[in-house]
Amino acid sequence: MNLNVKVYEKLLEVPEGRITTYKELANAVGLKNGSRVIGNIMKKNPFPILIPCHRVIKSNGEIGGYTNGKKTKFSISVSYTHLTLPTNREV
């Protein structure tokens, strides 16, 4: 299985209204220090709403990049009424 597909499938496991980080997603697919790799994969996401790359943020809580711009990513992210960081940090 190609890495992009593996990452997109793992991202689909993040429930609506929840977020994860590039680092957590990298760890979930077995990439040590793979945050930049995840960012590049998210940038190439062919279906940015169906594969919810807007649910991935930086470890410091910042929004990070988005295909349609950070402003759009922020708007999508805050549209969740129960947007919180998961306490158990599972992806």
Side-chain angles (χ1 to χ4, degrees), residues 1 3 10 27 31 37 39 43 48 50 55 61 66 78 80:
M1 176 186 312
L3 180 60
K10 186 57 77 171
N27 290 338
L31 293 175
V37 172
K43 185 179 1 178
L50 298 176
R55 295 181 189 162
Y66 185 64
V78 298
Y80 296 121

Side-chain angles (χ1 to χ4, degrees), residues 7 18 23-24 30 59 63 77-78 81 85 91:
V7 169
R18 301 301 294 263
K23 182 179 180 179
E24 291 168 343
S59 294
I63 294 291
S77 297
V78 298
T81 56
L85 286 169
V91 177

Side-chain angles (χ1 to χ4, degrees), residues 11-88:
L11 181 55
L12 288 171
E13 295 176 18
V14 177
E16 185 175 332
R18 301 301 294 263
I19 55 176
T20 190
T21 66
Y22 296 100
K23 182 179 180 179
E24 291 168 343
L25 192 52
N27 290 338
V29 296
L31 293 175
K32 279 190 173 184
N33 303 315
S35 298
R36 287 186 187 264
V37 172
I38 297 300
N40 284 323
I41 291 171
M42 295 296 103
K43 185 179 1 178
K44 296 173 187 171
N45 180 356
F47 308 104
I49 297 297
L50 298 176
I51 300 171
C53 56
H54 56 276
R55 295 181 189 162
V56 185
I57 63 169
K58 294 181 177 182
S59 294
N60 66 4
E62 291 180 6
I63 294 291
Y66 185 64
T67 303
N68 297 312
K70 287 183 180 184
K71 191 173 184 177
T72 301
K73 183 174 183 176
F74 179 78
S75 296
I76 292 169
S77 297
V78 298
S79 69
Y80 296 121
T81 56
H82 55 287
L83 180 65
T84 56
L85 286 169
T87 54
N88 64 0

